[in-house]
């Protein structure tokens, strides 16, 4: 029996790790599965744990309002050290590029426990973009013994860095999560109705989208954009919403106080507008539901760059770099940075030019087939692993 500990702490990690928890839990014959959450996020993490019905065995509950990166790192390092004193897993699995994943990897390394890195090998090669994520994932890549790369390109990045351990191509577990939710919504009409009601209570009436009204769905939270970058982004959104009064703009706001500060600086204290809807972060199912209804997604998120193309939605990424160039190559994702003029012109083009819109809105999915979790479980159980080492 192998003991696997999955460690995560933020919303996107939870979305991408919960399906993996479920897959390990199916194999009680060979795995003892332990879930450890750092609580780097609180409300946004708990929302996802509830949806997937995952109950952590350990919860370090480290979130403090406006915590800085050193606080997060130190709390996780000491917290993990104490957990490893009571429970020594055979493998620790971490995800992606957050401070949770890097600090947990380092703590596991100090306890001499092998680390598996899910979503390994994504790179921009610019350590300040995204910051601190690019360095976070490079450090985790150095420590990990098992690297689960979503694509061939991410595997190649790791080969170039001559990381130690074994590299496998598994696809991204985000597609597993997305399939689960999309299938649920497709097969359960009542669920869709329930989600519409929840969205209404959250502040957005989906029935507005009848009669072909267009929807621009927005998210933003990158640290390197805080301050002037965010002000430019939000000013462009405001001006777009005034230019296109018949289009709805919906922005589920990240709970990081720096995000809301910039929004209020541009929009003032009262955020109510006839066609701009600022709402609290949505539960994953509601968010996927809204992505499916949207016309354009405007974001600086990582995970949304993987999900929206799979749903055939054009994505404008408010960043200068991306570690996910695959969908960029297919043309469904464009980088617009935090440049006011570029955001205005690219959104305007997609709203006005049908050909440009059609070109960008084809469904592509370079990130996986929905079976990534199953592959990772089989690899850690030494079943037919060589086929994924291609
Ligand atoms: C973190 C990750 C980032 C990831 C993002 C996903 C790091 C350094 N950053 O950024 O890589 O893309 O999550 O969303 O690991 N807050 C709450 N409740 C919550 C969540 C956050 O109140 O449920 C507030 C708190 O004031 C907290 C602040 O947001 O201090 C920042 O949270 P933090 O996890 O440090 O950074 P994120 O910007 O969320
Ligand atoms: N998401 C969500 N509710 C929201 C906004 C986003 O469930 O209100 C989901 C989204 O579908 C994606 C993930 O959260 O799976 C992305 O998280 P985030 O943008 O916070 O982090 P990143 O992916 O940039 O690390």
């Amino acid at each position: 029996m192998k003991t696997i500990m999955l460690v995560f702490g933020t919303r996107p990690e939870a979305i991408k790790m919960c399906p993996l928890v479920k897959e390990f839990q199916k194999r009680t014959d060979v795995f003892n599965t332990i879930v450890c959450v750092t609580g780097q996020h609180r409300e946004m993490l708990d929302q996802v744990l509830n949806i997937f019905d995952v109950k952590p065995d350990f919860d370090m509950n480290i979130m403090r309002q406006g915590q800085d990166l050193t606080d997060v790192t130190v709390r996780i390092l000491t917290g993990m050290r104490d957990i490893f004193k009571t429970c020594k897993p055979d493998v620790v699995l971490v995800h992606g590029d957050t401070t949770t994943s890097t600090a947990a990897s380092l703590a596991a390394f100090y306890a001499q426990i092998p680390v598996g890195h899910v979503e390994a090998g994504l790179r921009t090669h610019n350590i300040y973009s995204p910051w601190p994520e690019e360095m976070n994932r490079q450090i985790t890549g150095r420590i990990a013994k098992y690297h689960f790369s979503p694509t061939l390109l991410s595997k190649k990045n790791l080969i170039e860095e001559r990381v130690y351990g074994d590299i496998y191509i598994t696809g991204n577990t985000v597609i597993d999560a997305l399939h689960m939710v999309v299938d649920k919504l497709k097969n359960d009409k009542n669920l869709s109705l329930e989600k519409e009601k929840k969205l209404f209570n959250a502040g957005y009436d989906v029935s507005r989208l009848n009669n072909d009204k267009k929807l621009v769905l927005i998210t933003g939270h990158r640290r390197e954009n805080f301050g002037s970058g965010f002000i430019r982004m939000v000013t462009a959104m405001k001006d777009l919403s005034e230019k296109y009064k018949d289009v709805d703009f919906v922005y589920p706001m990240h709970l990081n106080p720096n995000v809301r500060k910039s929004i209020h600086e541009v929009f003032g204290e009262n955020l109510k507008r006839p066609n701009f809807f600022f709402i609290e972060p949505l539960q994953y199912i509601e968010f996927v539901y809204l992505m499916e209804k949207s016309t354009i997604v405007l974001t600086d998120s990582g995970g949304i760059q993987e999900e929206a193309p799979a749903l055939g939605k054009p994505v404008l990424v408010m960043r200068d770099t991306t570690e996910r160039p695959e969908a960029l190559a297919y043309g469904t994702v464009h980088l617009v940075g935090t440049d006011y003029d570029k955001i205005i012109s690219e959104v305007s083009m997609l709203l006005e030019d049908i050909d440009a819109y059609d070109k960008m809105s084809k469904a592509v999915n370079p990130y996986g087939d929905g079976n990534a979790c199953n592959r990772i479980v089989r690899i850690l159980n030494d079943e037919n692993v060589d086929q994924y080492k291609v």
Side-chain angles (χ1 to χ4, degrees):
M1 186 73 85
K2 251 190 204 166
T3 299
I4 306 285
M5 179 185 279
L6 297 98
V7 185
F8 51 94
T10 63
R11 169 173 67 192
E13 292 169 277
I15 290 169
K16 292 166 168 181
M17 287 292 256
C18 283
L20 189 55
V21 170
K22 292 287 174 197
E23 199 64 29
F24 274 109
Q25 285 173 341
K26 284 185 199 161
R27 301 294 306 271
T28 47
D29 52 328
V30 278
F31 291 115
N32 173 28
T33 307
I34 297 178
V35 177
C36 172
V37 297
T38 62
Q40 179 177 335
H41 284 174
R42 191 68 275 167
E43 303 89 322
M44 285 160 58
L45 170 71
D46 294 342
Q47 282 183 334
V48 184
L49 293 173
N50 287 339
I51 289 174
F52 287 92
D53 194 25
V54 167
K55 296 190 177 42
D57 300 283
F58 296 95
D59 187 338
M60 292 158 52
N61 198 21
I62 63 136
M63 200 197 88
R64 304 289 179 276
Q65 284 304 319
Q67 59 197 342
D68 74 19
L69 295 174
T70 305
D71 289 332
V72 177
T73 308
V74 170
R75 286 196 186 106
I76 295 170
L77 268 177
T78 52
M80 290 304 307
R81 177 193 59 192
D82 295 344
I83 289 169
F84 290 145
K85 280 182 191 155
T86 65
C87 158
K88 203 152 182 191
D90 297 300
V91 179
V92 167
L93 289 182
V94 298
H95 182 277
D97 55 20
T98 65
T99 296
T100 281
S101 53
T102 305
S105 303
L106 191 56
F109 173 65
Y110 287 159
Q112 297 196 348
I113 301 169
V115 170
H117 190 195
V118 182
E119 195 177 277
L122 280 65
R123 296 288 184 268
T124 62
H125 303 291
N126 175 345
I127 62 167
Y128 290 106
S129 177
W131 177 78
E133 289 82 4
E134 174 68 12
M135 184 53 89
N136 278 349
R137 58 190 166 226
Q138 290 197 20
I139 294 170
T140 306
R142 281 282 144 214
I143 295 172
K145 177 175 182 205
Y146 306 98
H147 308 264
F148 303 111
S149 287
T151 65
L152 180 61
L153 183 71
S154 42
K155 176 174 173 165
K156 281 184 178 158
N157 288 334
L158 292 170
I159 292 171
E160 272 170 26
E161 287 176 18
R162 303 168 71 111
V163 295
Y164 108 102
D166 291 322
I167 313 169
Y168 304 92
I169 299 178
T170 57
N172 196 313
T173 60
V174 76
I175 303 298
D176 300 31
L178 186 68
H179 280 186
M180 274 181 204
V181 169
V182 168
D183 290 349
K184 259 190 191 174
L185 284 168
K186 210 185 286 163
N187 297 328
D188 186 348
K189 188 86 198 109
N190 288 334
L191 186 67
S192 295
L193 290 173
E194 187 196 306
K195 294 303 149 201
E196 284 171 21
K197 223 181 256 169
K198 286 221 165 144
L199 280 162
F200 184 82
N201 293 336
Y204 186 62
D205 180 358
V206 184
S207 70
R208 292 172 60 88
L209 297 174
N210 299 343
N211 310 320
D212 292 336
K213 186 186 264 299
K214 291 181 176 164
L215 167 66
V216 180
L217 180 61
I218 303 168
T219 77
H221 69 83
R222 295 251 83 85
R223 270 179 158 80
E224 70 274 14
N225 289 343
F226 289 157
S228 57
F230 244 89
I231 297 289
R232 286 193 299 277
M233 283 156 56
V234 178
T235 308
M237 293 165 202
K238 181 169 181 277
D239 292 352
L240 281 163
S241 70
E242 285 164 6
K243 180 176 171 194
Y244 296 102
K245 289 193 166 47
D246 55 341
V247 174
D248 276 358
F249 294 75
V250 177
Y251 189 156
M253 294 177 289
H254 193 287
L255 288 174
N256 193 320
N258 289 308
V259 170
R260 294 173 184 224
K261 193 168 162 257
S262 298
I263 292 173
H264 283 295
E265 262 178 66
V266 175
F267 278 81
E269 261 328 288
N270 184 358
L271 297 181
K272 272 210 165 349
R273 295 289 185 286
N275 63 329
F276 209 130
F277 302 85
F278 290 96
I279 58 180
E280 292 303 313
L282 292 171
Q283 298 247 10
Y284 188 49
I285 307 188
E286 276 95 282
F287 190 75
V288 171
Y289 178 88
L290 215 49
M291 258 196 298
E292 284 195 301
K293 296 256 174 217
S294 67
T295 314
I296 304 168
V297 181
L298 185 58
T299 187
D300 64 14
S301 160
I304 296 171
Q305 288 179 59
E306 294 153 344
E307 293 164 337
L311 299 173
K313 301 298 171 182
V315 189
L316 299 177
V317 178
M318 295 181 288
R319 292 172 45 183
D320 299 324
T321 59
T322 182
E323 58 294 284
R324 295 166 170 90
E326 293 89 350
L328 205 63
Y330 280 105
T332 58
V333 167
H334 286 180
L335 291 182
V336 293
T338 57
D339 183 310
Y340 172 91
D341 292 329
K342 200 140 194 212
I343 297 172
I344 298 275
S345 67
E346 291 260 348
V347 173
S348 302
M349 183 186 73
L350 286 173
L351 289 174
E352 290 175 25
D353 181 343
I354 295 170
D355 290 339
Y357 185 82
D358 284 348
K359 235 190 202 163
M360 247 187 115
S361 63
K362 39 183 192 298
V364 298
N365 183 0
Y367 300 111
D369 59 2
N371 295 311
C373 296
N374 183 266
R375 287 191 189 102
I376 293 169
V377 169
R378 286 171 50 200
I379 289 164
L380 287 176
N381 196 34
D382 299 320
E383 295 168 35
N384 289 326
V385 294
D386 284 342
Q387 58 178 311
Y388 306 122
K389 279 193 186 167
V390 283

